[in-house]
Structure formats: C-alpha cells, structure tokens
Amino acid sequence: MTDLDPKTDLVLERVVDVAPELVWKAWTTPEYLKRWFTPAPWKTVGCEIDLKPGGKFHTVMESPEGQQFPNTGCYLEIVPDRRLVWTGALRPGYRPANLGADVPFVFTAIIEIEPHEAGTKYTATVLHSTEDGRSKHEAMGFHHGWGAALDQLVALAKTW
Amino acid sequence: MTDLDPKTDLVLERVVDVAPELVWKAWTTPEYLKRWFTPAPWKTVGCEIDLKPGGKFHTVMESPEGQQFPNTGCYLEIVPDRRLVWTGALRPGYRPANLGADVPFVFTAIIEIEPHEAGTKYTATVLHSTEDGRSKHEAMGFHHGWGAALDQLVALAKTW
C-alpha cells in the first residue's frame, strides 16, 4: 500500500487480538486516545481530533517531571476502521508547518488496520524526509515506544 | 471555505468567461497544463500528474535563458470540476519534503472553481508557513504571475 524506503522510514507491524473497529475507536476518540497514546510513565494530557482531511490532530504529552510537549498535525486520509494518515509537515487546513532548526525530525504517519483471523493486522508506517530524521526517531526509541503504546491500546480495547 | 490569514496567505480571485469543466481540464491534463502554467516567455517543459490524494504533481519550468526549475508536490484533495489542493511541503505519498535552507518558501495551493453566471469564479489561495514566505512569494510577482498564467489558461480553454 505504501511506498516504503528503509533508509527514511520506520515500520511497526503487529497482529493484535482486538477487532479493527476497536483499534479505530482508540485512535479517533480523544478521551480514549489520551489513555494509551504515550507509554507510561509519560501521559497524554491533551487531545483534539477533527477527523477529516485537513482537520486538526493535536496532542499534549507530559513527561514524568511534568514538562508538556504539544504537537499539532493535519489529517490527510480517513478511511473508517481501515486507514488513518496524518502529518506534522502541515498545520490544520494544510498550511505548511514552520519547522524551526530545533525540530529534530518531522514525519507522516500511516496507520493501516486490516481484519485478521486473530483480530487485526496493525501496521504503522512513519515516513521521514531524510535518513537523519529516521535515525533520530529510531534512536529516541520508536520501536519500543510505539510498541508499548500499542500494548496500552490493546489493553484498553479489551475493556470494551 | 479556506481559513485565510492575510499575514501568511496570498489570494488571486477572478471571474473568467469559461466553464468550470474547462478550467479543471486545463489544471489536470499535463499536455494542456504545459501550455498555460508559466507566463511567457517562460515555458513549462515538463508535467506529470497523478490525480489522487497522495499523488504526484510535477512540473519543470524553463527560463528564457534555458535554465530548468523542477518542482514536485503532492496532491491533497481532488474534487472534480470544483477543488484542487496540493502542497510543496510533502513529496508524493505524503512524505515530508526535505526543504533545505536555500528554499525561500513553501506553499500549499487551493484552487476553487465555482460556477458563475459569467462562467467561473476562480479563487487560488496560497498558504505559506510564515509571513516571510508570503512576502518573498509576493515580491517574486505572485499576483502578476498567477494572473498572467490564468489569462493563458482562459485563452487556451476558449479554443476548445
């Protein structure tokens, strides 16, 4: 589905034992997203979702020390229960983001949610502009972080 | 339709006496786009269009001295005969563009094509990340350039 370039992209692919509809619900409902999006002991303390192409995807992550990190991106594709794409390279309404020199990397995320006999085949593909951006994101713990967040998502979905 | 910010955005709005369908055809067909996209004596010598969200919009402009300027962007919204959105902040497939320090500005363009009793109400809204980007684009002759290109588009459409 996605043109992958291992030099610039990162992928987390897993089969999880919850239904696609629940994965979608966890990704697209602010009150639920806040409960899984950031691996503990970090928290997600803010979330705004305007679920349409060009709409706002805003989160605020909080470190264990209480420092807050807001992020605002723009949704690009919405296919209910199947596919969600957003980017940090654009602000809501598709305006190009003003990326200062202090921004280590910017990415576009493609979340693919496919029915699987065990539940859902989940693929998160993260596209960076450069190899350097991919390296920095990987070094920050992409695989562990996105994997731990997915574990939290699955645990939440199992309570539904 | 578009959240406009006069500090960072530029707008060309005109009523033209050709039908919306012809404006659309001129914007979305490479062989026609090459005939109007760049004000003479500049030329558009290359054009590739993959008309879908995430698809490629590529042009090559050529100066009167023969220097070529390729541009590659990514389509975001396609509403036939009515609305076309693309951005230079993303490469095809939504990958964030690698904008070097030598890129003076980056923009997202929203082309709105509305039926009008005289033909078409045409609105091109160009969103920049910063006031500085808008200023540079304006100083390069945005209004004259996009207006002259539209005149060429209308002249071409009248031959159809």
Side-chain angles (χ1 to χ4, degrees):
Chain A
M1 292 276 292
T2 300
D3 283 337
L4 196 70
D5 181 345
K7 291 183 185 164
T8 52
D9 306 334
L10 293 166
V11 181
L12 177 78
E13 184 179 303
R14 290 249 303 268
V15 173
V16 294
D17 59 348
V18 293
E21 294 71 22
L22 301 186
V23 177
W24 183 259
K25 178 178 165 182
W27 260 106
T28 57
T29 314
E31 67 176 288
Y32 299 135
L33 186 139
K34 287 198 275 185
R35 293 171 60 185
W36 70 264
F37 191 64
T38 320
W42 284 61
K43 295 176 189 168
T44 302
V45 296
C47 179
E48 290 173 57
I49 289 175
D50 182 13
L51 201 62
K52 63 182 184 189
K56 182 180 193 174
F57 178 41
H58 177 74
T59 57
V60 182
M61 296 189 281
E62 187 178 278
S63 75
E65 295 77 28
Q67 192 178 357
Q68 294 194 347
F69 298 85
N71 274 291
T72 302
C74 178
Y75 287 113
L76 298 172
E77 285 189 20
I78 317 284
V79 183
D81 299 337
R82 292 295 178 267
R83 181 177 167 89
L84 187 65
V85 183
W86 86 92
T87 187
L90 298 175
R91 306 277 301 177
Y94 302 126
R95 178 183 306 283
N98 181 16
L99 301 165
D102 58 332
V103 176
F105 56 84
V106 60
F107 65 83
T108 296
I110 301 172
I111 307 298
E112 292 168 291
I113 301 168
E114 297 164 76
H116 184 279
E117 57 185 6
T120 296
K121 184 183 169 199
Y122 179 93
T123 310
T125 303
V126 179
L127 311 176
H128 303 82
S129 55
T130 61
E131 292 185 42
D132 180 66
R134 191 264 304 148
S135 294
K136 284 179 176 156
H137 201 174
E138 196 168 31
M140 275 179 63
F142 167 81
H143 287 100
H144 176 75
W146 285 55
L150 180 59
D151 288 340
Q152 295 179 166
L153 183 159
V154 170
L156 173 64
K158 285 183 176 176
T159 68
W160 291 335
Chain B
M1 292 277 290
T2 301
D3 283 338
L4 197 69
D5 181 343
K7 290 182 186 164
T8 52
D9 306 334
L10 292 167
V11 180
L12 176 78
E13 185 180 302
R14 289 251 304 268
V15 173
V16 294
D17 59 347
V18 294
E21 295 71 21
L22 301 187
V23 176
W24 182 260
K25 179 178 164 182
W27 260 107
T28 57
T29 315
E31 67 177 288
Y32 299 135
L33 187 139
K34 287 198 274 183
R35 292 170 62 185
W36 69 264
F37 190 64
T38 321
W42 285 60
K43 294 177 190 167
T44 303
V45 296
C47 179
E48 291 173 57
I49 289 174
D50 181 13
L51 201 62
K52 63 181 185 189
K56 182 181 194 176
F57 179 41
H58 177 74
T59 57
V60 183
M61 297 189 280
E62 187 178 278
S63 74
E65 296 75 29
Q67 191 178 357
Q68 295 195 346
F69 298 86
N71 274 291
T72 302
C74 177
Y75 287 113
L76 298 171
E77 285 190 20
I78 316 283
V79 183
D81 299 337
R82 291 296 178 268
R83 182 177 165 89
L84 187 64
V85 183
W86 84 94
T87 188
L90 299 174
R91 306 276 303 176
Y94 303 126
R95 178 184 305 285
N98 181 16
L99 300 166
D102 58 332
V103 176
F105 56 84
V106 60
F107 65 83
T108 295
I110 301 172
I111 308 299
E112 292 169 291
I113 301 167
E114 297 165 75
H116 184 279
E117 55 184 6
T120 297
K121 183 182 168 198
Y122 178 94
T123 309
T125 303
V126 179
L127 311 176
H128 304 82
S129 57
T130 62
E131 292 186 41
D132 180 66
R134 191 264 303 148
S135 295
K136 284 180 176 155
H137 201 175
E138 196 168 33
M140 274 179 63
F142 167 81
H143 286 100
H144 176 75
W146 285 55
L150 180 59
D151 290 339
Q152 295 179 164
L153 183 159
V154 171
L156 173 65
K158 285 184 177 177
T159 68
W160 292 335

